[in-house]
Amino acid sequence: MAPKQKLSIRAYSFSFKKYRSWGSDKVYKLNNELRFPAPNDMEYVYSSAFDLFRDFIISNEQMDDKEGSQQLFRCTFDSSKEGETDVYRYLIFSVHSGYYGFPSDLIDRTTKQKVYRKTKDQADVKEFYVMVVIPKNSELASPTRGLIFFQEIGVYGIKTITATAMQEFFSKKLGLTFFSQNLAPDFYLDKLFATGIIKKIRLARNIASADSADRLYGESVGREERAITPLRVTDELKRKLRHVAENGYNFYTFDNINYPEVKMEVTIGDRTRIINLHGIEDLSVEEALPDELLLSDGTVSLDAFTAHMHTVATEYLEHLPCSF
């Protein structure tokens, strides 16, 4: 039996601001009508931010050669994958992308024989799904931030190329800045505690020797490293990990010793990752997708992906009420 592909998603928040502007008053409300100057004293009019994404998709339907990154890129969209629930509107589109620039052989794994020689100008293009979610207006607020989910296949992803293409398109045509941001560190930890397995906690500190002879021979400072394998993730362990992640100067205390360097070795789906708790604000939320989304030919079922992502989007919005 062929091994199943490792599927996952990365989650970010997004917003739109006037290009090169500062201040929260320059952030656009996503559900409002949006107007921008167009050539010949005309206007571009968008009924909401969803029209911005549709415009981007349509403008990138033809395969584009991103020579700087040596990637091909295009978007497709099925209008049936756009809709709404009681609390949000959504849109799912496809990104087709792959790298070129180096020749390679395609080998049939069953016969071990070469079936094709790929040239440096040919790319192995894969299809990835992107889901855009915008909360509906409430009595208290009109959202200025939404959620965007990027699917990954193994080590391959399209977040960087897609977000870069969006920023270039919106800034050039409309004078907009497209921001995609990592979610809050505490939410990242919540997702790790809920869906990941903590295998080890790695602690480290530099220590100075009390022996004057060590200082004489240039060995006055050493490094202590410890690895803790938790038997179970308790509330107390969660509290200590949250404390470390809150501030780059917070310590993890173990055996009455303060350790300034704290990393977690976690399993997310089939992947093992080393996460620096003092750099967690720079990480995006990643979680595995179930194998049930795969069809017999190894591709992802769009219908199954859509159904699963509704559950994911609802969960994220429920846990991020203050962020929107």
Side-chain angles (χ1 to χ4, degrees):
M1 179 182 295
K4 294 183 178 180
Q5 299 192 61
K6 298 174 183 178
L7 304 176
S8 60
I9 55 168
R10 287 191 183 271
Y12 301 83
S13 66
F14 73 87
S15 59
F16 289 99
K17 295 181 67 175
K18 186 176 180 181
Y19 188 57
R20 292 183 176 176
S21 66
W22 304 98
S24 59
D25 58 320
K26 301 299 182 180
V27 180
Y28 289 91
K29 294 182 178 181
L30 301 178
N31 292 320
N32 288 8
E33 182 181 80
L34 305 172
R35 294 176 175 266
F36 306 95
N40 302 318
D41 295 324
M42 302 293 286
E43 270 191 322
Y44 294 117
V45 180
Y46 299 89
S47 62
S48 72
F50 276 108
D51 281 351
L52 295 175
F53 287 104
R54 293 189 199 97
D55 194 11
F56 168 78
I57 294 166
I58 293 171
S59 298
N60 285 276
E61 288 181 335
Q62 299 300 315
M63 190 67 76
D64 186 19
D65 183 358
K66 307 291 187 182
E67 294 185 14
S69 59
Q70 293 189 308
Q71 285 177 275
L72 299 182
F73 177 85
R74 79 181 184 100
C75 300
T76 57
F77 173 57
D78 180 349
S79 59
S80 68
K81 295 307 175 185
E82 177 182 8
E84 60 183 282
T85 69
D86 292 339
V87 295
Y88 64 85
R89 297 171 64 194
Y90 70 93
L91 178 154
I92 297 175
F93 66 96
S94 296
V95 169
H96 307 260
S97 184
Y99 287 93
Y100 63 87
F102 46 88
S104 62
D105 294 329
L106 295 183
I107 307 296
D108 187 306
R109 76 178 189 92
T110 57
T111 65
K112 310 299 188 292
Q113 299 298 310
K114 182 172 75 173
V115 295
Y116 184 72
R117 175 68 173 176
K118 184 172 76 72
T119 72
K120 64 181 180 65
D121 293 320
Q122 296 174 331
D124 178 15
V125 174
K126 297 176 175 61
E127 181 179 17
F128 303 83
Y129 295 132
V130 179
M131 182 178 191
V132 179
V133 174
I134 298 178
K136 291 184 175 180
N137 291 351
S138 68
E139 295 180 357
L140 300 177
S142 178
T144 57
R145 288 209 290 165
L147 291 171
I148 186 165
F149 300 92
F150 297 92
Q151 180 213 338
E152 295 183 344
I153 303 173
V155 298
Y156 301 101
I158 40 80
K159 188 271 176 179
T160 299
I161 190 173
T162 305
T164 300
M166 286 181 174
Q167 173 55 28
E168 291 174 349
F169 173 78
F170 293 128
S171 62
K172 183 177 180 180
K173 180 175 181 178
L174 305 173
L176 274 180
T177 295
F178 172 76
F179 281 106
S180 58
Q181 302 166 302
N182 296 325
L183 300 176
D186 58 341
F187 184 71
Y188 188 98
L189 285 176
D190 285 340
K191 295 302 295 179
L192 279 181
F193 294 150
T195 64
I197 299 174
I198 300 177
K199 299 178 66 177
K200 289 181 182 179
I201 299 172
R202 300 182 177 185
L203 309 175
R205 64 173 182 146
N206 294 328
I207 53 176
S209 174
D211 191 332
S212 59
D214 289 339
R215 293 194 293 273
L216 180 63
Y217 292 102
E219 298 176 349
S220 59
V221 178
R223 183 170 178 81
E224 178 188 353
E225 297 182 349
R226 301 181 72 167
I228 304 171
T229 302
L231 297 177
R232 59 192 182 96
V233 180
T234 63
D235 289 340
E236 175 61 16
L237 177 61
K238 292 179 183 179
R239 184 196 65 78
K240 294 175 70 173
L241 294 174
R242 290 184 194 279
H243 171 72
V244 173
E246 285 174 357
N247 190 296
Y249 299 100
N250 288 349
F251 297 103
Y252 186 100
T253 303
F254 185 75
D255 278 352
N256 294 319
I257 300 174
N258 291 329
Y259 291 90
E261 298 180 36
V262 186
K263 296 180 180 180
M264 287 195 304
E265 182 178 324
V266 300
T267 299
I268 304 173
D270 293 326
R271 300 184 185 183
T272 297
R273 300 186 64 194
I274 306 298
I275 296 172
N276 181 357
L277 283 181
H278 285 153
I280 202 167
E281 69 277 358
D282 297 322
L283 299 175
S284 57
V285 176
E286 175 193 8
E287 61 180 85
L289 292 174
D291 293 336
E292 289 72 22
L293 303 188
L294 285 172
L295 298 172
S296 59
D297 63 356
T299 59
V300 177
S301 166
L302 180 54
D303 289 339
F305 177 83
T306 302
H308 177 78
M309 290 307 298
H310 278 310
T311 301
V312 173
T314 300
E315 176 189 352
Y316 275 55
L317 291 176
E318 287 176 349
H319 286 80
L320 290 172
C322 296
S323 299
F324 293 88

